[in-house]
Amino acid sequence: MSDTTPIYIIEEEKLRRNLALIASVAREADVEIILAFKAFALWKTFPIFREYIHSTTASSLSEACLALEEFGAKAHTYSPAYTDGEFDEMVRCSSHLTFNSLSQYQRFHERAGECSIGLRVNPEYSEVGTMLYNPCAPGTRFGVTADKLPDQLPADIEGFHCHCHCESGADVLERTLVHIEQKFARWFPQLKWLNLGGGHLMTRKDYDVSHLINILKGLHERYPWLRIILEPGSAFAWQTGPLVASVVDVVEDKGIRTAILDVSFTCHMPDCLEMPYYPDVRGAVCVEDTPDLNTQVSCLYRLGGNSCLSGDFMGYWQFNHELQVGEQIVFEDMIHYTTVKTNTFNGITHPSIGMLHTDGTLEILRRFTYEDYRSRMD
C-alpha cells in the first residue's frame, strides 16, 4: 500500500490475469477483443496490454490519437456525431470508422479514406436496468433501427456495430443475439464484420466464459464470413486495484458521524453518485438502509468527500474499530471507468496513479499538481 494518499493503485498481477483470460477467449472463439478507452485509458500500462491484444476502440478524437500515438495501432472508432473540423484527423488515426446515423454517413463517408466503414444499429432490445446506461432505451440517440435501412446497403459499408450491454453475462448476449439476428441478419451477407460492442464482463468471478465461447462459435457457424469483434472496457480492468484515501477529520451532526476523506466522490468516484452504487470498502460492511439513529451502532460512519458539494458523501459503513485521523480507507475496484471520469472540481488534490508490480514494488506513474488544475482553466 502507498505511504501517501490519495492514490489509485493498479495491480499488475491482477491486470495480467484479466488480459490472459480475455486473450484466451479471443483465441478459442476466433474473435477479436479490443480495449475500449472509455473505461480504461492509462496509457503507461499499454506495453503490458500489447502482449495480449492488438487494437483499441475510440469514441473521440483524443481517444483516437491515444490509440495511434500511445498504443501504436489505429483505432476502431465510433462517435455519436463526427464534426467537420475533427473528421480528417479521426480518419488518420482510425482503421475502422462507424457512423451513428445514415445522415452522418452521407455527410462524411467520401472522406473516410482507407477506413473500413461501419454503421451502428439499434436492435431495440437491451437488458440494462439503469436507464443512464441503457443505449437502447426509447428515444435513444444511438444507432439505426432496421426499418430505416435500405434493402441494399451502400457498397462501402462493411460492418455493423451494436452495443447494448453493461457489465452483462453471457446469457444476456445469447438473448440479445436473437434480437440482433431477427432484425439485421438479412444484411449480414453484405458485410465483412460485426462488432458486438462492450459490456461483456467476462472477467467477473461468476461469468460463464465457456458459454460465451460457445455462443461466439455458434455465431461463426451461422455466418462464417463475418469477423466478430468485442470491445469491452470494464472486463480488462475489473477488480485490478483500489483507490486509497485517508481520514482527515471526523465530524458529527444529529447523531450522524462522517469521516471526511482526502478524496471526493463527485471528483474521484463519480459513478458512485451517478449510477448510483455503493463501493466496497476494505474492512467495512456497507449498511445500505438508513440506520435508526436513535439506536447506537458502534463504529458506524458516513464517508464524506473533501469538496464543497453538499452531497459529496455516501454511507453508511460499519467498521470494526473507531476511525482515527490519518488512517487509510481503501475503496476496492476503482480502476475501470473511475480513472477516466475524474475531474478537478474545487481544485482539490487529484489522486496519484501508481502500479503495483508483480515483484511488489510500487511505481508512481503520475502525480498531479497545481499546474494540471491551472492548465485546464486557461
Side-chain angles (χ1 to χ4, degrees), residues 164-175:
C164 42
H165 298 92
C166 179
E167 298 185 356
S168 304
D171 57 323
V172 179
L173 173 61
E174 184 175 37
R175 292 190 291 271

Side-chain angles (χ1 to χ4, degrees), residues 114-141:
E114 297 181 358
C115 292
S116 180
I117 293 177
L119 191 67
R120 178 158 178 170
V121 294
N122 174 14
E124 302 175 85
Y125 176 86
S126 175
E127 297 186 22
V128 177
T130 303
M131 285 300 102
L132 182 65
Y133 299 110
N134 187 343
C136 299
T140 181
R141 69 189 195 281

